[in-house]
Amino acid sequence: QKEVEQNSGPLSVPEGAIASLNCTYSDRVSQSFFWYRQYSGKSPELIMSIYSNGDKEDGRFTAQLNKASQYVSLLIRDSQPSDSATYLCAVNLKAAGNKLTFGGGTRVLVKP
Amino acid sequence: EAGVVQSPRYKIIEKKQPVAFWCNPISGHNTLYWYLQNLGQGPELLIRYENEEAVDDSQLPKDRFSAERLKGVDSTLKIQPAELGDSAVYLCASSTNGQGQETQYFGPGTRLLVL
């Protein structure tokens, strides 16, 4: 089992719809979780961080964390073509000495 | 505020040749990371520095890879000799500290192609 797992996609959503991305992780004691967006040929940029169970909203983005089930999700509301990118889930793995471990990323395509 | 700076942006070399990458982190950031990213995959940590000390280099292939951060600011990553499988993007990132909750900021990366 990979330490951080994501569906590679592509996840195709129509413009204006909600894109839902999921991520599961193996380290039960992990405390810090991040979502990065990476456009093709560019470097990752942070869009959300979450540390407590529940929802965290920032503009059109909502991160959801469930530590008991060991998953973290990202919702993108009112998806825009500019949201087309790869979304990387990253987990700070306490068991690995606080190493930030990335999933393989989910590619999102927003169609006009 | 300037972001993480990396150079070169692109490098094409023949196998068995040496290559070096340079990174200048965000001013004031004590922690510096080097990541390797293959196409279609997430970044994988190669080495993490706290100031000038390498605190996690467990994933660095030490037979051919080396890194240094002599004054606790700039860092270089070297490969000697390069192999075909080293073709990838090498990302440098920095953060205020390495405690786990802080944001890591990435540089633009160096795209390496080994022929």
Side-chain angles (χ1 to χ4, degrees), chain B residues 28-86:
Chain B
H29 281 194
N30 297 324
T31 309
L32 184 147
Y33 314 78
W34 283 103
Y35 287 90
L36 165 72
Q37 186 173 26
N38 286 304
L39 190 64
Q41 298 181 25
E44 299 173 27
L45 181 69
L46 290 172
I47 189 168
R48 171 167 66 105
Y49 281 95
E50 295 290 344
N51 298 302
E52 62 272 12
E53 181 182 0
V55 296
D56 184 356
D57 63 355
S58 57
Q59 301 302 310
L60 189 72
K62 297 181 184 64
D63 57 335
R64 298 185 300 108
F65 286 65
S66 63
E68 61 183 14
R69 192 185 186 200
L70 292 176
K71 297 183 179 179
V73 180
D74 296 2
S75 177
T76 57
L77 177 68
K78 298 179 181 178
I79 308 175
Q80 182 171 9
E83 297 179 351
L84 296 176
D86 296 331

